[in-house]
Amino acid sequence: MAKNLLIVESPAKAKTIEAILGKDFQVKSCFGHIRDLEKNDMGIDINNNFKPKYIVPADKERVVKELKSLAKSSGEVWLASDEDREGESISWHLAEVLHLDPKTTKRIVFHEITKPAIEKAVKNPRTINMDLVNAQQARRVVDRLVGFELSPVLWRKIGMSGGLSAGRVQSVAVKLIAEKEREINQFAAVGSFKIEALLAATDLNNKTVSFKAEGGKYTVEAAAEKFLQSCIGAKYTVKDIQVRPGKRTPAAPFTTSTLQQEASRKLGYGVSRTMLLAQKLYESGKITYMRTDSVNLGETAMDAIKAEINTSYGARYLQIRKYKTKNESAQEAHEAIRPTYMENHTVNDAETGRLYELIWKRTIASQMSDAELEKTTAKINISSNKEDLTATGEVLKFDGFLKVYMESTDDEEEEENEKEGESRLPNLTVGQVLDFNQMTATERFTKHSARYSEASLVKKMEELGIGRPSTYAPTISTIIKRTYVEKKDKEGVKRSFRILRLKNDTIEKMMEQENTGAEKSKLFPTDLGLVVTDFLNQHFTKVMEYSFTANIEKEFDEIADGKMQWNKMVEDFYTPFHTGVAHTLETAERAVGERMLGVAEDGKPIIARMGRYGPMVQVGSQGDEEKPRFAKLKAGQSIETITLEEAQELFKLPISLGEYENAEISVNIGRFGPYVKFGEQFVSIPKGEDLWSVTLDRAIEIINAKQKEDAPIGFYDEKPITKGKGRFGPFIKWNDLFINIPKAYNFDILTQQDCKELIEKKMEKEANRFIRQWPEEKIAIENGRWGAFIRFGKKMLKLGFNKNNTKYTPEELAVIELDEVKKMILTQEPKAFDNKAPAKKRAAPKKAAKKK
């Protein structure tokens, strides 16, 4: 046994570091956090200075047990979790659980997993920084308080069939997306006519070179036409030429935020995927720590970058720069994200290779020379009306950093201009008369601001000071998972625009079409997200203010700097917040996002609102004698934008398509989406297919495909075996048993022997699964991974203790009575059987009647 035990967060990192440190160290992973706040209760003792109640989760008990054993037999324990606040918190939790003294236990940090960095860290250990621990503890406690107290308010006042949640950062992120959507919904495009002339001149080689020159804009067609008429027969003369040098400067090295933005724009990666790949690169020693808001590069890195630029590109391409972090509250990490070894231009791994190359290029480019440009602007006089046209050209004189890397932008128009590359004008002279080809006045429309992509949302959150490098990815994942936001593409729509063209002294009018409004991988708020945002905005105005959320982050920073007590900060936040929660629960009305659309022919109101299973439209009111009618919204429709006509169209469902095999076929929308009804059979319409475009022939295709899918592929014990693909992958079904197909089997060509093996294995497993069963009550006692438990419907509940206040033995469970199990269920689910009693009473008379 090694005399030193060094504990890191991940197993991949453990292997790399153990190889560096050698036989004196045993390096083990704690697999991230080993403790967290209790889940069953709030996990915070509010009356005791907000003291957190931490527990070791069941899935970490084995890891903790192993680390305790290793710690006892080791001479010294070293803690080497990540260098940010969360990492510091993990080290403190390890010290607490392993009974180490935080004041003396050696804590080491490093920004990169290289031999020099690890050896330097071991030679310079420190102790656990409790200020950083307390900053992380404050964040965890505040976020738990907000989630624990706000979420039940949403359950009560909004409802919905799924669990709603609110969070200090996630809710304001949804608010950003909601505000952007409403801004777009209110936007009205304005058209104008842009003047553009196609001219030509002869260059030094007697070659005719065409180029474009732009004029002014006209708001109405008549004014644009009048200008073109004034240009008939005109001469076009060069009035003035200006040539100015210009330059472009490289962007700073990557921080967490800018890496997420560029990986999204250049590689199409989501924020979570970027962080996952960056983590792999860091843990395998390829890049420096990936959670940082610093743009600084250390001396060692700078020396390596200089050498690489001189070797690969030459001294002219080297220009040393020192970048300053804009964010004053940048966290503890000391360097930007960069490769650990600059001589490695790529890595031999297909999954992480593209991200590594992006990081390498950005790092190298940051220390390269400016790109040198020459910009030419020519003013061209029109003889007939004394107006001027402007022609511009740009020539790249020295590529500098552009040889390696060009930063992308979120501005789509700017991006298109960049893609066009350099534009060159012919050599013009003042007084030169130019050849005229044609002039157009083209109708162009203003555009609304772009919806947020994951990258631009991260950028906006960073600008506002909302969240920190470690929070961007989980925040975006959470709001998508909670269905407050959807990440999707938007198809463009056809739009007509007008063109007036002057050619050969004649003005021609044309109408053309363009595709407009298409967007890819953008964030759209759902109706649920909009309703929740409005409710929180109305009742928790302060919590939803961007500045308030940013100030909370600054207070966490002050705790990390030792300038503020963490529990005092929590108290100052919680006291008014809790009062607001109590007041809202008592006074707020239920929120459904109701919007009046109009009135039906019979005078009943037509309303769009949130229903139990999502957005819908309703005809009639709850107080009417006749029950209201309901219709679910189509995909892409919203209660905020649906029109009266679109709502009335929804009530035409179900639509009868005709008959097939003497049974009626119709289409409709249900709780689980659009479907085809064939007699008494319901068949889902494939995802992405529009219900309204399904014809009788297409419905028959869908029915036949389902019948073919459901046809038996074999028999076992004279009962049919069918196969299909579900949420958890391919499966076979036999006798109401669903059996997942392991990768060892070829799902497409399952043999009778394959099915026999799979069924018998499943039956053997099921035989050992149940200790006792009461199917009619939907109650069972099952063997689980962590011991026996009660299954009640879909819920997994704990077993209580026996009369001796000890755990039940297998023998006791084998003969336990149903009433005893029900008592255990009721202690955990007090209303478990409330809905069952009336059903039994109604059923009794029917049985009696049969006996008579």
Side-chain angles (χ1 to χ4, degrees):
M1 181 63 68
K3 61 183 179 181
N4 292 293
L5 171 67
L6 188 138
I7 304 174
V8 296
E9 287 184 38
S10 76
K13 193 192 294 186
K15 286 180 184 177
T16 313
I17 294 172
E18 193 166 63
I20 291 169
L21 290 175
K23 60 182 180 180
D24 287 341
F25 280 85
Q26 183 180 19
V27 185
K28 284 288 178 181
S29 167
C30 66
F31 296 87
H33 284 280
I34 58 156
R35 287 202 308 181
D36 198 5
L37 296 171
E38 284 184 358
K39 282 189 177 177
N40 293 337
D41 196 2
M42 187 186 284
I44 300 161
D45 188 349
I46 292 169
N47 298 319
N48 188 15
N49 226 6
F50 298 93
K51 186 178 180 181
K53 300 174 190 174
Y54 293 112
I55 58 163
V56 176
D59 62 342
K60 286 298 178 79
E61 285 175 357
R62 190 176 295 175
V63 174
V64 169
K65 187 178 178 182
E66 183 190 7
L67 291 176
K68 280 182 176 178
S69 174
L70 291 170
K72 279 182 184 176
S73 57
S74 300
E76 189 162 24
V77 180
W78 300 61
L79 303 175
S81 50
D82 289 345
E83 65 170 324
D84 56 12
R85 293 173 195 172
E86 200 156 340
E88 203 71 20
S89 178
I90 289 172
S91 279
W92 176 72
H93 283 295
L94 281 166
E96 291 281 302
V97 171
L98 302 180
H99 306 298
L100 307 172
D101 186 353
K103 294 178 182 176
T104 57
T105 301
K106 289 179 179 175
R107 163 88 168 109
I108 63 169
V109 293
F110 36 83
H111 187 64
E112 58 187 48
I113 303 176
T114 59
K115 188 176 176 66
I118 301 298
E119 288 177 345
K120 183 181 178 183
V122 170
K123 287 176 185 174
N124 300 281
R126 59 171 174 80
T127 55
I128 294 170
N129 184 331
M130 287 307 298
D131 290 332
L132 300 185
V133 172
N134 288 334
Q136 183 62 24
Q137 197 160 228
R139 177 188 289 278
R140 189 75 187 91
V141 167
V142 166
D143 288 348
R144 171 60 70 91
L145 289 168
V146 172
F148 201 89
E149 296 217 350
L150 265 192
S151 298
V153 176
L154 299 182
W155 305 337
R156 289 265 299 275
K157 301 300 180 181
I158 296 175
M160 289 290 293
S161 54
L164 301 182
S165 75
R168 183 182 56 84
V169 176
Q170 76 172 53
S171 296
V172 292
V174 177
K175 181 183 174 183
L176 278 169
I177 296 164
E179 286 181 343
K180 177 72 73 174
E181 190 68 20
R182 283 169 171 159
E183 176 193 325
I184 290 168
N185 288 341
Q186 291 169 9
F187 176 82
V190 178
S192 62
F193 289 82
K194 180 183 176 182
I195 302 296
E196 193 174 75
L198 187 60
L199 305 170
T202 305
D203 66 7
L204 297 173
N205 298 318
N206 263 344
K207 185 180 176 184
T208 301
V209 179
S210 295
F211 62 95
K212 290 178 181 177
E214 292 183 0
K217 286 184 180 179
Y218 296 88
T219 53
V220 293
E221 182 181 354
E225 186 177 0
K226 185 179 179 183
F227 174 76
L228 292 184
Q229 286 173 342
S230 72
C231 294
I232 293 173
K235 279 174 42 176
Y236 298 84
T237 310
V238 178
K239 179 180 176 182
D240 181 48
I241 298 172
Q242 290 187 359
V243 180
R244 302 186 313 278
K247 67 175 183 178
R248 289 188 189 171
T249 304
F254 279 133
T255 61
T256 303
S257 165
T258 54
L259 175 64
Q260 290 170 354
Q261 291 169 49
E262 276 293 84
S264 172
R265 293 184 291 234
K266 275 191 158 60
L267 308 178
Y269 291 170
V271 168
S272 294
R273 176 166 167 75
T274 297
M275 293 311 290
L276 181 68
L277 296 177
Q279 181 98 25
K280 287 184 178 181
L281 287 168
Y282 168 64
E283 289 175 355
S284 58
K286 304 292 194 304
I287 64 169
T288 53
Y289 192 53
M290 67 288 157
R291 289 193 184 95
T292 174
D293 38 20
S294 170
V295 289
N296 181 44
L297 293 170
E299 283 185 32
T300 307
M302 289 296 289
D303 290 342
I305 293 166
K306 287 178 201 173
E308 185 59 37
I309 293 171
N310 281 324
T311 303
S312 299
Y313 306 104
R316 190 185 173 192
Y317 283 87
L318 177 65
Q319 186 175 336
I320 300 302
R321 291 180 173 83
K322 285 205 172 183
Y323 296 91
K324 287 187 178 180
T325 304
K326 291 178 184 176
N327 184 1
E328 293 177 8
S329 56
Q331 273 192 26
E332 304 74 44
H334 303 301
E335 269 198 271
I337 303 169
R338 61 166 177 81
T340 46
Y341 301 103
M342 293 307 303
E343 60 269 27
N344 296 335
H345 294 210
T346 187
V347 293
N348 190 24
D349 177 60
E351 188 182 24
T352 57
R354 293 177 72 205
L355 188 68
Y356 177 85
E357 286 169 20
L358 186 70
I359 294 167
W360 186 90
K361 288 175 180 178
R362 175 84 163 218
T363 308
I364 280 285
S366 73
Q367 301 302 320
M368 291 180 73
S369 304
D370 292 338
E372 295 173 11
L373 312 165
E374 186 179 84
K375 293 183 178 181
T376 303
T377 304
K379 291 287 182 187
I380 298 156
N381 177 255
I382 306 171
S383 64
S384 58
N385 56 29
K386 304 302 179 186
E387 293 287 332
D388 287 343
L389 300 174
T390 303
T392 57
E394 185 177 278
V395 178
L396 187 65
K397 292 292 187 180
F398 174 61
D399 54 3
F401 76 94
L402 294 178
K403 195 174 192 73
V404 176
Y405 181 83
M406 163 82 87
E407 185 181 26
S408 296
T409 172
D410 288 313
D411 189 315
E412 291 169 12
E413 284 189 27
E414 193 177 318
E415 191 84 348
E416 284 302 314
N417 292 338
E418 293 287 359
K419 284 178 184 175
E420 288 178 11
E422 62 181 70
S423 56
R424 185 188 289 268
L425 289 176
N427 291 317
L428 301 173
T429 56
V430 174
Q432 183 177 356
V433 177
L434 304 171
D435 296 332
F436 175 80
N437 185 333
Q438 67 174 32
M439 183 181 288
T440 56
T442 306
E443 188 176 22
R444 287 287 174 250
F445 296 89
T446 53
K447 291 182 181 179
H448 60 69
S449 59
R451 288 178 173 88
Y452 288 112
S453 62
E454 287 194 23
S456 58
L457 180 63
V458 166
K459 184 178 181 182
K460 186 66 177 178
M461 288 170 69
E462 188 182 39
E463 283 173 6
L464 295 170
I466 299 168
R468 288 293 181 263
S470 61
T471 65
Y472 301 135
T475 296
I476 292 172
S477 297
T478 299
I479 62 178
I480 293 173
K481 184 181 176 183
R482 294 291 181 188
T483 67
Y484 294 150
V485 169
E486 288 179 304
K487 181 180 177 181
K488 61 182 182 181
D489 299 343
K490 180 176 180 287
E491 289 185 9
V493 293
K494 294 287 184 185
R495 177 172 64 190
S496 297
F497 65 97
R498 294 168 286 178
I499 299 176
L500 309 178
R501 183 170 64 189
L502 169 62
K503 190 165 186 175
N504 299 326
D505 291 343
T506 303
I507 296 174
E508 180 185 6
K509 294 184 180 181
M510 297 171 287
M511 187 73 79
E512 292 193 8
Q513 282 197 322
E514 61 183 351
N515 207 34
T516 183
E519 293 185 279
K520 191 170 178 61
S521 295
K522 293 296 176 70
L523 300 174
F524 292 75
T526 62
D527 282 321
L528 177 61
L530 292 168
V531 170
V532 169
T533 298
D534 287 345
F535 180 82
L536 294 175
N537 256 341
Q538 181 182 349
H539 298 287
F540 298 94
T541 310
K542 191 172 183 182
V543 174
M544 293 292 281
E545 285 175 2
Y546 302 129
S547 59
F548 176 78
T549 308
N551 286 334
I552 291 284
E553 294 289 351
K554 288 177 182 175
E555 288 181 355
F556 292 152
D557 295 336
E558 287 187 32
I559 295 167
D561 293 337
K563 297 174 182 175
M564 185 182 285
Q565 263 193 321
W566 78 269
N567 30 29
K568 178 69 171 66
M569 175 261 160
V570 173
E571 183 183 6
D572 291 345
F573 165 81
Y574 180 72
T575 304
F577 170 71
H578 178 70
T579 304
V581 169
H583 178 74
T584 303
L585 278 170
E586 188 179 337
T587 61
E589 293 182 1
R590 189 175 176 84
V592 291
E594 192 172 288
R595 178 171 158 254
M596 181 74 173
L597 301 179
V599 179
E601 289 180 4
D602 58 4
K604 290 182 178 177
I606 299 179
I607 299 160
R609 68 178 184 87
M610 288 300 294
R612 187 178 175 191
Y613 300 114
M616 64 175 195
V617 286
Q618 170 183 324
V619 176
S621 304
Q622 296 296 340
D624 295 348
E625 284 184 26
E626 190 181 343
K627 281 186 177 180
R629 289 184 294 139
F630 305 99
K632 190 175 179 180
L633 265 58
K634 289 197 277 184
Q637 289 183 330
S638 165
I639 57 178
E640 293 221 340
T641 55
I642 189 170
T643 64
L644 177 62
E645 292 73 22
E646 289 167 341
Q648 289 172 322
E649 188 77 16
L650 296 174
F651 286 100
K652 292 179 180 177
L653 292 173
I655 301 171
S656 178
L657 299 179
E659 284 194 0
Y660 174 62
E661 295 181 352
N662 297 320
E664 186 187 7
I665 294 179
S666 61
V667 290
N668 203 346
I669 297 177
R671 181 180 171 188
F672 302 107
Y675 63 84
V676 174
K677 186 182 179 190
F678 172 50
E680 296 305 313
Q681 186 181 4
F682 297 85
V683 184
S684 292
I685 293 172
K687 196 172 182 181
E689 193 166 337
D690 182 20
L691 169 147
W692 301 89
S693 65
V694 174
T695 61
L696 178 61
D697 289 342
R698 176 59 185 141
I700 293 169
E701 280 179 21
I702 293 169
I703 292 162
N704 289 337
K706 179 64 175 173
Q707 289 174 340
K708 186 178 178 182
E709 183 184 307
D710 291 346
I713 60 167
F715 291 84
Y716 180 83
D717 195 22
E718 298 183 355
K719 291 169 187 165
I721 305 166
T722 58
K723 71 175 185 177
K725 290 184 179 178
R727 183 180 170 191
F728 303 107
F731 64 85
I732 58 170
K733 183 185 177 187
W734 174 81
N735 198 26
D736 289 335
L737 274 181
F738 289 87
I739 305 160
N740 290 330
I741 309 299
K743 288 183 180 178
Y745 293 84
N746 187 334
F747 177 70
D748 295 324
I749 50 170
L750 286 172
T751 65
Q752 182 68 33
Q753 181 60 30
D754 291 337
C755 294
K756 182 174 180 287
E757 283 177 14
L758 288 162
I759 291 167
E760 287 176 353
K761 283 178 187 175
K762 181 72 172 178
M763 287 170 69
E764 184 183 344
K765 187 178 177 183
E766 289 293 306
N768 297 324
R769 173 182 167 189
F770 296 101
I771 299 171
R772 291 220 66 182
Q773 275 184 286
W774 296 273
E776 68 283 357
E777 299 281 350
K778 295 186 178 177
I779 296 173
I781 298 177
E782 297 183 22
N783 279 311
R785 186 177 176 187
W786 309 108
F789 67 93
I790 300 168
R791 185 179 292 279
F792 176 53
K794 293 183 179 180
K795 292 182 178 178
M796 298 166 66
L797 305 174
K798 292 178 182 178
L799 276 165
F801 294 105
N802 60 20
K803 292 175 183 177
N804 301 322
N805 206 29
T806 59
K807 284 186 178 180
Y808 281 94
T809 64
E811 293 76 19
E812 287 172 328
L813 290 175
V815 295
I816 194 168
E817 294 296 330
L818 175 60
D819 287 344
E820 193 64 30
V821 178
K822 282 188 171 182
K823 285 178 187 176
M824 295 183 212
I825 293 171
L826 285 169
T827 59
Q828 300 169 69
E829 298 284 336
K831 297 182 180 179
F833 305 107
D834 285 5
N835 296 329
K836 294 202 169 187
K840 287 182 181 177
K841 285 178 185 175
R842 284 197 300 271
K846 290 183 182 177
K847 288 184 180 176
K850 284 181 183 177
K851 285 179 184 177
K852 286 178 183 178

